[in-house]
Amino acid sequence: MESKTTSGGKAPLISAKSEPSVSVNPSPFRVLLQKEISDQIRSWRFIILISLIVLICLGSLYASLGSFAKSVKPTEAEGAFFFLRLFTLSNGRLPSFVLLIGFLSPLLGIGLGFDSINSEFNGGTLSRLLSQPIHRDSILNAKFLAPLIVVSVMFFSLGLLVMGSGLIALGIPPTAEEFMRIILFIFISIIYVAFWLNLSIFLSVKFRQAATAALMGIAIWLFFTVFYPMIINLVTQLFEPSRYAPVPYIIAFQKIKFLLMQLVPGRLFNEATTTLLMPGVRSLGPLTFWQLQGTIPSPLPLGQSILLVWPQLTGLIAVTIVCFVLSYVSFMRREVRSR
Amino acid sequence: MTVEEKIIELKNLTKSYDQFTAVDHLNLSVSKGEIFGLLGPNGAGKSTTILMMLGLSEPTSGSISICGYDPRRNPIEVKRKVGYLPENVGFYNDRTGLENILLTAQLNGYSYGEAVEKSIETLQKAGLTDDIDQKIKTYSRGMRQRLGLADVLIKDPEVIILDEPTLGVDPNGVQEFLDSIVELSRKNGITVLLSSHDLHEVQKVCDRVGLIVGGKLIAQGNLNELSQQLFHTAAYQIIAEIIWPGDNDPVERMKAIFKDIRGVINIEKEKNNTYLFDCETEMSSDIARLVVTSGGNLVSLTQKKYGLDEIYYRYFEGGLNHGK
């Protein structure tokens, strides 16, 4: 390879780099990842989604700061996690930060992934990419990882910005535990976005038209947030035991109902985040009266909170992986014609 | 050519979808440095065959070897050696020509610095120097095609596979494009597989042609071999205009005359006084002599030759049914 004749305009850094010719060659996956990330950042869609999220953060921050004074009672103990309320408080008009993130993450995930494969397909670039010496899965991996990296950077910086502005506005520094809880919350939000991202990538592999994939993603999201709980309530009402039914029967019924509700990814996310951000939450399922006997009404330590949401966390990661595997399987076996 | 190195070798390649067989026991081999034309009507299975060669589609049965590699087991190695230009090649519209080619270069293992250098060089060769920093959306069809060629050449391929590369390009552009391919192949010893439905395009550039209809390779070879293979039942047909004085059934009479002559398979009446002789070998002089000695007036005698036009008519415009 002619690496000696460096063209005039190039910085010396590059010519120095290209000297050992073989060793510095980037892996195809990294090249693809770079391309995907720059595609994401340049796109209008990303700018729109980002500004939406930033606006929402500002709004919810404003709302929680406004009602902060009212929520703090003089009787409260010292370690009452004031700082976390920045994320969970609402003023009644605007929902809290956590709720908004839970609401927008699906939109973000679907918005970033719904045309990832089918747009390449329709543009005829997929067959060109695939005829390069790269593994087929590296395209899919890059398509998944690039938006995820972008979203992670965005979420972390947003979370930290909210923390910072809260710090200025409140004058109370967060404790180490509060900090850890917030970081975990951001981490779970990213996993939640990853789930929707994978789902929409799967849809983009399945459906040739980007619009169909996007609509399908939104339909699934609406189904899970609006209709699924309604249907479950309707169905379970039919089997609701009377108040005088034996206790084990009632418990079993409640447990089944809880389990069915748990199938919604959004629910998993909400449970996981509220538990982490409200240390007072001690159980997510039905609790009997005697289970509460003798408990000390104090917040849970971080370890216990994590233990409590461990199933939710695993569930979220599991559905994310399931979606990824689905898109993987259908993409790897797909015959790729040019357009 | 002494020992011909087979670069592309397909054996009994078959691809069937649910009910439909797109490629049916296809056997094909292309030697090094050759320009091979895959000629066939739309839907004949050309693209499917090419996709299987690149490992972009899974064959139902049969074997493929490209540069000694099996694209099913070693797709990466195959793709390293093969440059593929699909019909309607797609580029990222919001990126510049350079950026698009740069990506290909980097995916082929060049470091950023090398890739930039190599891309600029290749784009210059493709005649796109002025448009390097233009976005693809501003490119014309012909420019896209040249960019596609640059995209193929940047990996220094041993084999180039072109699938209907000149679709929708103006005649001038087609000529230039084909010329550059021939030049490349001759200069660098690159093997070229060109798929097309355009007979004249193939005729112009290809050393050898494979005719593929209904998923089957009907014939392969250079043009002469092709017509021989295709019309082997009557490799030679002779049309003679003969006037037989005072005869009401000249065909029977001629059949009687030629009964003992080996080589004449059949005699048919074409028009008034014009007869068609199906022969195994070239025997126009024999026919002339016999006709004259038996008292016929030979007006004219022509040998019917099968050109590619005839082939084209018979297999393409006549539709797929004729090919079966």
Side-chain angles (χ1 to χ4, degrees):
Chain A
M1 267 136 252
E2 315 95 315
S3 60
K4 278 196 175 163
T5 47
T6 323
S7 59
K10 286 288 141 267
L13 183 118
I14 288 164
S15 63
K17 240 175 137 184
S18 63
E19 257 198 308
S21 133
V22 189
S23 58
V24 284
N25 291 349
S27 79
F29 175 67
R30 272 193 55 190
V31 175
L32 280 177
L33 196 62
Q34 276 169 6
K35 176 219 142 209
E36 288 300 326
I37 290 179
S38 73
D39 269 356
Q40 289 289 351
I41 291 172
R42 287 177 184 204
S43 69
W44 269 103
R45 164 186 39 190
F46 180 73
I47 296 167
I48 292 167
L49 285 173
I50 279 274
S51 33
L52 208 64
I53 299 255
V54 168
L55 276 179
I56 276 159
C57 279
L58 287 178
S60 64
L61 191 67
Y62 169 77
S64 65
L65 282 178
S67 53
F68 202 84
K70 272 179 270 168
S71 81
V72 180
K73 297 177 192 78
T75 49
E76 266 174 317
E78 208 156 286
F81 299 97
F82 291 119
F83 207 82
L84 292 180
R85 288 185 196 170
L86 266 182
F87 292 86
T88 53
L89 269 185
S90 81
N91 63 356
R93 270 166 295 159
L94 262 176
S96 66
F97 186 83
V98 179
L99 270 178
L100 277 173
I101 288 287
F103 187 70
L104 274 171
S105 296
L107 195 66
L108 194 66
I110 293 169
L112 290 179
F114 74 93
D115 67 345
S116 52
I117 299 292
N118 47 20
S119 72
E120 296 258 0
F121 202 93
N122 293 334
T125 44
L126 191 59
S127 70
R128 199 167 62 89
L129 269 189
L130 280 177
S131 61
Q132 307 308 329
I134 52 172
H135 290 287
R136 210 180 247 219
D137 53 346
S138 55
I139 294 180
L140 207 59
N141 294 347
K143 287 279 179 201
F144 165 64
L145 214 56
L148 199 66
I149 287 172
V150 173
V151 165
S152 307
V153 169
M154 183 175 98
F155 270 22
F156 270 106
S157 45
L158 272 180
L160 294 177
L161 273 175
V162 170
M163 271 210 262
S165 39
L167 190 64
I168 293 169
L170 298 176
I172 324 167
T175 61
E177 194 185 327
E178 280 172 324
F179 183 74
M180 282 309 293
R181 279 174 185 272
I182 291 167
I183 295 294
L184 264 172
F185 156 69
I186 294 170
F187 179 67
I188 292 173
S189 312
I190 291 167
I191 292 175
Y192 188 48
V193 174
F195 162 71
W196 287 102
L197 184 66
N198 266 325
L199 184 72
S200 67
I201 289 176
F202 171 61
L203 293 173
S204 87
V205 174
K206 271 281 164 217
F207 296 104
R208 196 64 81 73
Q209 298 299 325
T212 319
L215 269 179
M216 192 72 195
I218 290 173
I220 291 173
W221 170 45
L222 278 181
F223 173 77
F224 275 132
T225 43
V226 180
F227 297 111
Y228 185 77
M230 249 160 62
I231 292 167
I232 293 295
N233 273 330
L234 221 77
V235 173
T236 48
Q237 253 171 27
L238 295 176
F239 301 101
E240 181 122 38
S242 82
R243 282 173 62 193
Y244 307 107
V247 174
Y249 187 67
I250 296 177
I251 291 179
F253 172 77
Q254 288 296 339
K255 273 192 173 161
I256 288 170
K257 192 175 169 184
F258 179 72
L259 195 80
L260 286 174
M261 285 293 195
Q262 211 82 22
L263 290 178
V264 186
R267 173 99 178 197
L268 293 178
F269 171 76
N270 282 343
E271 280 171 0
T273 46
T274 43
T275 311
L276 280 175
L277 290 181
M278 297 176 177
V281 176
R282 4 190 66 225
S283 168
L284 292 164
L287 268 184
T288 54
F289 209 64
W290 56 266
Q291 274 176 307
L292 283 172
Q293 262 180 1
T295 51
I296 306 156
S298 70
L300 288 180
L302 179 60
Q304 291 300 312
S305 284
I306 294 174
L307 214 58
L308 196 58
V309 298
W310 197 248
Q312 274 78 2
L313 201 59
T314 348
L316 261 184
I317 294 174
V319 282
T320 310
I321 291 172
V322 165
C323 280
F324 188 68
V325 167
L326 280 179
S327 46
Y328 200 88
V329 167
S330 62
F331 183 63
M332 294 306 270
R333 301 182 50 175
R334 168 70 70 82
E335 177 183 283
V336 179
R337 288 185 172 266
S338 62
R339 274 192 239 199
Chain B
M1 266 178 238
T2 46
V3 185
E4 285 192 7
E5 195 186 334
K6 296 283 179 234
I7 292 287
I8 300 175
E9 200 148 34
L10 311 180
K11 277 187 191 142
N12 282 323
L13 191 64
T14 304
K15 169 85 186 175
S16 30
Y17 298 97
D18 292 335
Q19 303 243 311
F20 166 70
T21 308
V23 177
D24 193 359
H25 296 282
L26 192 86
N27 288 294
L28 182 79
S29 60
V30 180
S31 331
K32 192 172 166 54
E34 203 175 20
I35 303 182
F36 189 88
L38 207 54
L39 187 65
N42 295 331
K46 290 170 297 185
S47 298
T48 313
T49 309
I50 287 174
L51 287 183
M52 286 191 281
M53 287 187 210
L54 287 162
L56 296 183
S57 173
E58 192 86 350
T60 312
S61 66
S63 75
I64 310 171
S65 157
I66 311 277
C67 304
Y69 294 105
D70 180 354
R72 263 178 297 184
R73 294 170 177 240
N74 241 331
I76 304 288
E77 284 307 316
V78 171
K79 288 175 195 169
R80 219 185 284 284
K81 309 224 165 193
V82 178
Y84 168 54
L85 182 63
E87 57 179 312
N88 271 328
V89 59
F91 292 99
Y92 297 106
N93 279 327
D94 287 333
R95 302 295 185 105
T96 66
L98 180 63
E99 282 172 327
N100 269 286
I101 298 298
L102 207 56
L103 178 70
T104 311
Q106 282 181 290
L107 287 179
N108 278 287
Y110 291 105
S111 70
Y112 184 76
E114 288 170 336
V116 170
E117 229 173 88
K118 181 105 184 149
S119 304
I120 292 174
E121 192 189 308
T122 317
L123 284 168
Q124 274 167 352
K125 267 191 213 157
L128 291 165
T129 319
D130 299 334
D131 311 291
I132 273 184
D133 292 322
Q134 297 285 325
K135 290 202 169 161
I136 298 294
K137 21 182 184 201
T138 66
Y139 275 43
S140 71
R141 194 133 194 181
M143 282 159 76
R144 277 166 179 264
Q145 213 57 34
R146 271 181 284 159
L147 190 66
L149 192 60
D151 187 64
V152 165
L153 293 179
I154 196 142
K155 62 164 88 163
D156 293 322
E158 285 179 24
V159 183
I160 302 181
I161 295 180
L162 307 153
D163 191 0
E164 302 269 8
T166 55
L167 218 62
V169 180
D170 59 62
N172 222 350
V174 170
Q175 191 58 48
E176 264 175 43
F177 186 80
L178 293 179
D179 286 347
S180 55
I181 285 177
V182 174
E183 193 194 324
L184 269 168
S185 169
R186 300 282 178 259
K187 214 163 70 182
N188 307 332
I190 299 175
T191 313
V192 179
L193 184 89
L194 173 78
S195 121
S196 176
H197 66 271
D198 187 346
L199 164 87
H200 298 285
E201 188 177 302
V202 168
Q203 205 170 3
K204 239 178 270 174
V205 294
C206 297
D207 303 325
R208 256 172 3 111
V209 179
L211 190 62
I212 178 169
V213 176
K216 287 190 178 117
L217 194 74
I218 299 180
Q220 59 172 321
N222 56 33
L223 294 188
N224 284 335
E225 288 166 3
L226 212 60
S227 55
Q228 262 178 35
Q229 284 176 41
L230 284 171
F231 302 102
H232 53 83
T233 47
Y236 290 88
Q237 287 190 317
I238 292 156
I239 298 169
E241 198 183 341
I242 310 163
I243 297 167
W244 296 98
D247 202 309
N248 32 18
D249 196 1
V251 175
E252 281 311 308
R253 187 168 161 188
M254 275 192 289
K255 277 192 178 162
I257 297 169
F258 288 102
K259 195 175 61 188
D260 301 328
I261 307 289
R262 283 196 49 187
V264 176
I265 303 159
N266 195 20
I267 304 171
E268 268 173 69
K269 184 173 176 166
E270 270 217 323
K271 285 180 285 203
N272 264 351
N273 298 331
T274 309
Y275 307 94
L276 183 73
F277 292 74
D278 285 348
C279 309
E280 276 173 6
T281 51
E282 218 291 83
M283 49 191 311
S284 35
S285 55
D286 294 299
I287 292 171
R289 189 160 29 81
L290 261 167
V291 168
V292 173
T293 50
S294 341
N297 295 326
L298 188 61
V299 180
S300 72
L301 191 79
T302 41
Q303 193 187 340
K304 198 172 175 185
K305 205 176 173 189
Y306 287 108
L308 262 180
D309 280 318
E310 184 75 12
I311 298 168
Y312 190 74
Y313 173 73
R314 186 149 157 190
Y315 284 93
F316 291 44
E317 287 169 1
L320 284 174
N321 298 333
H322 284 259
K324 279 176 187 162

